[in-house]
């Protein structure tokens, strides 16, 4: 479980580093950066659900339904961002 903390911390630092304010003085909306951060969010949330909520030892239907729910949630957030 310690490796999970390392990966979660690395993803958090990486997502923070992707913020446009680190490169320019003005902050602007970037669709590609938003998509990348949402993909990193999917990985983080999946690690948390699987490793800390004990879904990895659960039945296959639970693993698939949590992945589907998470994917649907993040796609919905991205679509709302695009609108």
């Amino acid at each position: 479980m310690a490796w999970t903390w390392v990966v979660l911390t690395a993803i958090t630092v990486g997502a923070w580093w992707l913020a446009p304010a680190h490169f320019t003085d003005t902050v602007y909306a970037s669709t590609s950066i938003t998509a990348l951060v949402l993909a990193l969010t999917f990985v983080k949330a999946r690690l948390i659900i699987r490793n800390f909520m004990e879904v990895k030892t659960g039945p296959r239907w639970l693993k698939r339904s949590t992945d589907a729910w998470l994917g649907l949630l993040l796609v919905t957030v991205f679509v709302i961002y695009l609108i």
Side-chain angles (χ1 to χ4, degrees), residues 59-75:
R60 188 179 311 161
W61 68 265
L62 182 61
K63 294 176 190 177
R64 288 184 178 165
S65 63
T66 55
D67 286 345
W69 170 79
L70 186 58
L72 180 64
L73 177 67
L74 292 177
V75 166

Side-chain angles (χ1 to χ4, degrees), residues 31-72:
T31 304
S32 59
I33 291 176
T34 301
L36 182 57
V37 169
L38 284 174
L40 291 172
T41 301
F42 178 84
V43 173
K44 282 180 67 172
R46 190 170 189 268
L47 283 171
I48 291 168
I49 290 169
R50 291 284 174 106
N51 294 318
F52 296 112
M53 298 175 75
E54 299 298 327
V55 171
K56 70 178 175 183
T57 59
R60 188 179 311 161
W61 68 265
L62 182 61
K63 294 176 190 177
R64 288 184 178 165
S65 63
T66 55
D67 286 345
W69 170 79
L70 186 58
L72 180 64

